[in-house]
Amino acid sequence: DVKVTQSSRYLVKRTGEKVFLECVQDMDHENMFWYRQDPGLGLRLIYFSYDVKMKEKGDIPEGYSVSREKKERFSLILESASTNQTSMYLCASSLWGSTSSYEQYFGPGTRLTVT
Amino acid sequence: LAKTTQPISMDSYEGQEVNITCSHNNIATNDYITWYQQFPSQGPRFIIQGYKTKVTNEVASLFIPADRKSSTLSLPRVSLSDTAVYYCLVGDKGRRDYKLSFGAGTTVTVRA
């Protein structure tokens, strides 16, 4: 069965802390994505990666960075957390190529609170 | 990326058919149309995708007219468990660095 896991379901951090959110998929997918979801705004793409060590900015990359050292793992980094980064963070993965590219598999999400 | 417009919310009753129309006037030749469903406290789940005419699976049907400027997701005989947010997305599958953009979605509430 398809599986995308995220390191934490809930996380509370202080302003200025460095925060790491980890995502692992076991489907050998090429593409991985990080989104944030806020009420009334839907999902917004932060970064995505279509290969190891490759990354592309999404719609709202400011304040975030990512790392993809292995195919199955995609990390989201908040260098200095701020209160406006309090949100639900969702990781997803997909195969590349053909119509399967559109079928993204999502993890359960991490609800991050920055105080 | 083609911008999509869909209703913010829709109400229905159990057993009815729900049709959600998504407008995508600037859809490009290589763009596919994809719909996702999201339940509270869960990540979105892929429902269906199509390029033109009609696509049907065990969950829903997708109707796309010839001009492809809109599409309609049809949920037959909904139940309470179909209460969710439904997202319409348009994207080019041909690019390796493709990405999908989720809008605010349509909140469908099914009542008994």
Side-chain angles (χ1 to χ4, degrees):
Chain A
D1 197 18
V2 167
K3 196 90 174 194
V4 177
T5 57
Q6 296 183 228
S7 50
S8 305
R9 287 303 304 270
Y10 300 94
L11 209 53
V12 180
K13 296 291 183 180
R14 292 185 182 275
T15 302
E17 278 192 84
K18 190 168 185 176
V19 182
F20 292 87
L21 302 182
E22 304 283 340
C23 175
V24 178
Q25 50 95 1
D26 64 358
M27 298 160 284
D28 201 33
H29 284 172
E30 292 85 3
N31 303 316
M32 296 189 74
F33 308 82
W34 274 107
Y35 297 87
R36 65 176 282 177
Q37 184 170 30
D38 302 287
L41 297 177
L43 280 82
R44 292 180 291 168
L45 181 63
I46 304 171
Y47 267 98
F48 66 104
S49 168
Y50 54 85
D51 203 350
V52 174
K53 297 191 184 296
M54 304 300 289
K55 61 183 179 183
E56 293 286 341
K57 292 181 180 179
D59 300 318
I60 51 164
E62 297 77 20
Y64 303 94
S65 63
V66 290
S67 172
R68 193 165 181 202
E69 297 296 320
K70 293 184 178 181
K71 189 176 185 179
E72 68 271 16
R73 189 180 297 270
F74 192 35
S75 302
L76 180 69
I77 303 154
L78 288 66
E79 295 289 342
S80 177
S82 63
T83 54
N84 63 13
Q85 292 178 310
T86 291
S87 185
M88 170 69 83
Y89 289 88
L90 289 156
C91 174
S93 72
S94 72
L95 282 169
W96 175 71
S98 184
T99 55
S100 59
S101 298
Y102 289 92
E103 189 167 351
Q104 295 186 16
Y105 293 86
F106 282 81
T110 296
R111 183 161 295 282
L112 172 67
T113 302
V114 182
T115 61
Chain B
L1 292 174
K3 178 178 167 56
T4 60
T5 303
Q6 54 184 120
I8 294 173
S9 63
M10 297 181 72
D11 288 342
S12 183
Y13 290 92
E14 284 189 293
Q16 290 187 333
E17 180 181 77
V18 172
N19 296 306
I20 310 170
T21 296
C22 179
S23 172
H24 27 79
N25 291 319
N26 296 322
I27 191 167
T29 303
N30 290 334
D31 285 346
Y32 270 64
I33 300 153
T34 309
W35 286 81
Y36 281 77
Q37 173 191 57
Q38 185 178 24
F39 298 114
S41 302
Q42 294 185 27
R45 179 177 75 109
F46 170 91
I47 299 178
I48 198 167
Q49 69 178 7
Y51 184 79
K52 61 181 179 181
T53 62
K54 177 183 174 183
V55 180
T56 297
N57 62 23
E58 65 278 5
V59 177
S61 295
L62 179 60
F63 298 91
I64 305 168
D67 67 5
R68 305 201 326 122
K69 292 184 182 299
S70 67
S71 58
T72 298
L73 177 74
S74 180
L75 306 171
R77 297 179 300 280
V78 294
S79 64
L80 296 176
S81 62
D82 292 314
T83 292
V85 180
Y86 293 84
Y87 297 94
C88 166
L89 299 90
V90 172
D92 179 359
K93 71 173 181 66
R95 295 170 57 92
R96 181 161 196 189
D97 61 344
Y98 81 97
K99 58 181 182 179
L100 298 176
S101 287
F102 288 76
T106 298
T107 299
V108 172
T109 304
V110 180
R111 306 181 193 280

